[in-house]
Structure formats: C-alpha cells, structure tokens
Amino acid sequence: MSFLLVLTGSALAFGTTLLAGNLLGAEGTGTLFQITAFFAIAVTVCTAGADTGLVRFLSAARARGRTGDGPALLRMALLPVAAGSACAALALWLAAPRLQQWWGLEAEASIRIAAPFVICGAVMTVLFGALRGSRQVVRFATLQNLVLPLLRMAGLGAVIFLGAATELLTAAWVLPVLLICVLAALSLRRTLTPEPASTASAASAASAASGPTSAPTPLPAPARHPSLRPRAPKWREFWSFSGARGISAGIEVLLEWAGVLAVAVLLGPAAAGVFGVVNRCIRLGTMLDHTARIVSGPTLSEALAVGDTRAADKLFSSVTRLLILGAWPLYLVFIVFSAPVLGFFGDGFDDGASAFAVIAAAMLLVVSAGGVQSVLLMSGRSRWQLLNKAAALATAVVLYVTLIPVLGLTGAVLAWAAGALVDVGLAAFQVRRFLGIGTRLRTMALPAGLAFAVFGLGGWAVRLAAGPTLAGLLILLAAGGAAYLALLVLLRRPLGLAGILRKPSRVQQ
C-alpha cells in the first residue's frame, strides 16, 4: 500500500511538472524550480535530522520494550526544531531584500510569503518521522504522497490559470503544508498517547491469572546484553545522531537542488527549467529508494538494534531486487527514448536529451547499490553518511563550476552523476566492509538481466525500427511493459517476489 502511495506521489509530481512545463515554458518552469529548491533547502536545514532520529529511536525503543517513550521522544525532537525554524523564518523575512539581490530574481515578496511556512514545513517533517517510527507508514505516505501533491497540483493549476505571478506560485506551493501539518498532528495524537496504567495493569493481571500453562512464550532477554539494556533516551544521544543526520540531509538536498541553482546562475532560467525537468524525471526512479527507506527503515532499525544482522541482510537483498526491478526499466527507457520523453513537457525541453541519457545511465549504477543509505542511518552511522555527503557535494560543486561553462547542460549532469556515484560508492563500501551487509552479484544478476533484455535490448530494437519518436516510445511501453509483467509473474520465485509479497514477519525481539 505504501509503495503504491509513493508511486502515486511520484506520478502527481511528474504531472505537476508536465503542467508547469507546458503552460509556463522553460523559463517559467525554471523560476518555479528555483522557488521549490529554496523552500526545500530551508525546511531540510531547519528539521536538522530530527525526523530520521525519531524513526530510529522510536523503532529501537519498541524493539527493547519501551513503548511509552514516544511522547518524550517527540518533545525531544519537536521543541528545538520549532524554535530553530521560527528563528530562521524571522531571519528570512528580514533578509528578503538582500536575498533578492543575490538571487537575481524578483523574489522579495516570494521569500516573505514562504518564510512563515518554513516553520510548518519543519514541524510537518518531524511529525512524519514520528509516524514512520510508530509504524504508521500508510498514514504518512497518504499525507506526503497523495494529499500534499494533490493540493499542490490543484493550487499551481489555479495560479497558472490566474496569471502565474511568482508570488502566487510561491503561495500555491507552501500553503498546503499548513493543512498537512495539522492532519499529521491529529493522526499522531492517538498513536503516541501512552497506554493507561490501569489498562496495562489489567492486562498484566489477566496474564498472571491465566496461569503458567497459558502464559506466552517468554521473549529473549535483551537486557542481559549491555548494548540491549532498556533505558530512556537522552537529549544528547538523540541529537548527536539527529544533528549529524540533519547536516547530511541538508547536504543531500543541496546535492539535489544545487544543480538547478548553478544552471540558473551560469546558463539562465530557461536552461534551469530544462535541468529541473530532467531532475524531476530522474526522481521518479529515486522515489523507489525513498519508498524502500520509508517501508524498510523501522524493521531494519529493529533488526540492527537487537544485533540480528542476518535479518537485516536478508531485508537489504530483498529491497535491492525490488529497486532494480522497478528502477532499471524506467532509466533504460530514459536512455533509449530521452528526446520523446522530454517532448511531453513542451517545446525546448528536448534540448536536454543527451544530458538526460547520461544521468539516466549513471543512475543504473546508483540504484544497483541498494538501500545502503538506510542501512547506514538505521545502524547509527549518521556521521559516516555526513562525511560521504560532504565529499559528494564537494565533488559536484567543483565540477558544476568547471564543467557547466564548457559543456553546458551535459557538464551539469556529469557533475551531478559524479556526486551521486561518490556518495553511493562510499556508503556501499562502508556497509559491506564494516556491517557485513551488501549487494551480491547473484542478488542483482537476474533482475538486472531481465530489465536489460526487455527495455535495453528490446528498446534499441524498437528504436531501430521506429526511430527515436513518440510512436516508438509508446510501442516500447506497451509491448515491453506487457512482456516484463509476464516475465515477473513467471519468474516470481527465483526473483524472490513470492516471499516479498507475503506479510513480513516481525523481527524477533
């Protein structure tokens, strides 16, 4: 269910980009992407990794039998984030005129409209983390991937119809955040309400009264091992992990959006619009990894919290197979039919076809590494991830500055690809070397070979027959998609899909 919701969210985001591209043109789309980049960076920095901290600490507390720690953990995360984002909002409001001069865009009013909603965005993200850590993944995915993008698409459509002023585009993007923040808080209220003592006592008494013959099988006693001893989380422990994750998340969002801003400064808003559309298309594939983090993160944290590396490695392999099966067909279609895909967004966007194919090829390697980022985070190695992200950002920024003036959009995607490969390469090495978890050739051979045969070799055959045209793209999607689905059903056992589709068992505590 969560997977379908995330896919829906990706489709809605893609649809919003299609709407903007066709109605605003490349330059107007570039302006929209600069606004969204600015807001995403501000919210991520203000959240400071508290959302990921809640996922990890709530899951670990549950695995250790401390189910009543939720409210304290939420206060621990929420209060500093609310205070910090309020200060940031005030600073943005006051600095709007200077930021406009630096930005080179008529953005003072937009910055002042967006500033108060940075608080809502940061609080909403923390509440999302609490929902994920409390295993309310479907509620989280419904809010983030269905309701929020629907509201944004409707708002942007209405604003474009009214005249598409920059201030109105900004309002349409940030206003839905307030509503989603309220809905997330209401959804979380019941989840984290501590169980009444009388209820717990009654349950305990009933269990005792039932006698030894009907008593449940005792669980292993994790408290005997020092690392598994139940204890209340401390502020320093929580923020030591979350702070490092917050910095790495800030770097991660900079990695995602720095290219758009660099292209806007060095090549102009129209080129930024093309780059932003390429970015949005590639994000369709990365959303699968995002889904895997959401769905597998709590279970992975529970497994690692009790030292069950075997269960964590098994989950990692299953996620890797799913990522390859889902993302490789998409990226292969982007490589073979890059120009027709960009043609959906309107005139002028197919100028980025070569760059689109280059970054799609790089993403085949990135996705094959599996969910290494999630393993690093859920094992408590947020500082390692921070160093990895810093190295990746440094690589990308240096290459943006040196390659964009020479190679244009192709230089921008080469820099983007280099940063992404540095990030995932370091994470894959660390997870394999120090945790004993990693991608194995036998795990990825069959799913990768299946996707390559249908959408790689089959795609090139269609392209040779029909040319790099919209008709060729539609033939590949229809015929290749049908053949791929049939092969997935036929090979579901060797691909491990039969086991994945069954209800997963809880990690033994």
Side-chain angles (χ1 to χ4, degrees), residues 7 19 26 37 121 153 173 198 214-215 270 273 295 313 389 399 409 428 441 478 494:
L7 287 183
L19 180 72
M153 175 184 272
W173 191 261
S198 58
S214 58
V295 176
D313 188 52
K389 300 290 182 189
L399 293 178
L409 283 177
L441 184 59

Side-chain angles (χ1 to χ4, degrees), residues 278-353:
V278 170
N279 182 304
R280 184 61 71 181
C281 291
I282 292 297
R283 276 175 57 81
L284 282 175
T286 61
M287 287 304 290
L288 292 173
D289 180 57
H290 182 61
T291 309
R293 291 194 201 186
I294 293 169
V295 176
S296 68
T299 305
L300 196 58
S301 179
E302 289 181 22
L304 293 171
V306 297
D308 194 349
T309 306
R310 185 176 179 182
D313 188 52
K314 186 176 180 181
L315 178 60
F316 176 85
S317 297
S318 298
V319 169
T320 302
R321 279 196 296 270
L322 284 177
L323 289 176
I324 293 174
L325 287 171
W328 269 50
L330 183 69
Y331 291 137
L332 287 167
V333 168
F334 288 167
I335 293 171
V336 179
F337 286 98
S338 54
V341 171
L342 291 181
F344 282 119
F345 295 90
D347 295 335
F349 287 97
D350 56 356
D351 292 346

Side-chain angles (χ1 to χ4, degrees), residues 57 61 64 66 68-69 72-73 76 229-238:
F57 282 87
R64 292 166 177 163
R66 296 189 62 89
D69 286 348
L73 280 167
M76 199 178 292
R229 185 182 300 125
R231 58 182 176 79
K234 297 179 180 178
W235 279 65
R236 183 176 180 180
E237 181 184 7
F238 179 87

Side-chain angles (χ1 to χ4, degrees), residues 60-143:
R62 185 172 53 253
R64 292 166 177 163
R66 296 189 62 89
T67 55
D69 286 348
L73 280 167
L74 183 59
R75 285 193 296 274
M76 199 178 292
L78 206 51
L79 294 178
V81 169
S85 58
C87 294
L90 179 61
L92 285 172
W93 177 276
L94 296 175
R98 288 186 176 275
L99 288 173
Q100 176 178 260
Q101 292 177 358
W102 171 81
W103 199 343
L105 188 71
E106 293 295 330
E108 179 178 343
S110 295
I111 293 172
R112 286 189 163 166
I113 290 172
F117 291 93
V118 170
I119 306 172
C120 301
V123 170
M124 178 190 73
T125 307
V126 171
L127 297 178
F128 280 171
L131 284 173
R132 291 168 56 198
S134 304
R135 285 188 171 272
Q136 302 300 317
V137 177
V138 174
R139 292 185 190 177
F140 154 72
T142 301
L143 292 174

Side-chain angles (χ1 to χ4, degrees), residues 138-228:
V138 174
R139 292 185 190 177
F140 154 72
T142 301
L143 292 174
Q144 188 195 49
N145 301 107
L146 182 62
V147 183
L148 181 59
L150 268 177
L151 291 174
R152 280 177 164 164
M153 175 184 272
L156 286 174
V159 164
I160 291 172
F161 178 76
L162 292 174
T166 305
E167 295 82 3
L168 290 177
L169 287 173
T170 304
W173 191 261
V174 299
L175 271 172
V177 173
L178 175 60
L179 175 61
I180 299 302
C181 187
V182 173
L183 292 177
L186 292 175
S187 180
L188 194 61
R189 184 178 178 183
R190 179 179 295 180
T191 302
L192 291 185
T193 300
E195 185 180 5
S198 58
T199 304
S201 300
S204 177
S207 175
S210 63
T213 55
S214 58
T217 303
L219 296 172
R224 293 175 182 173
H225 191 285
S227 65
L228 304 178

Side-chain angles (χ1 to χ4, degrees), residues 471-500:
L473 172 62
L474 296 177
I475 291 172
L476 175 60
L477 292 178
Y484 192 63
L485 286 176
L487 288 169
L488 288 182
V489 173
L490 185 66
L491 300 173
R492 62 186 182 279
R493 290 189 182 281
L495 286 170
L497 295 177
I500 292 172

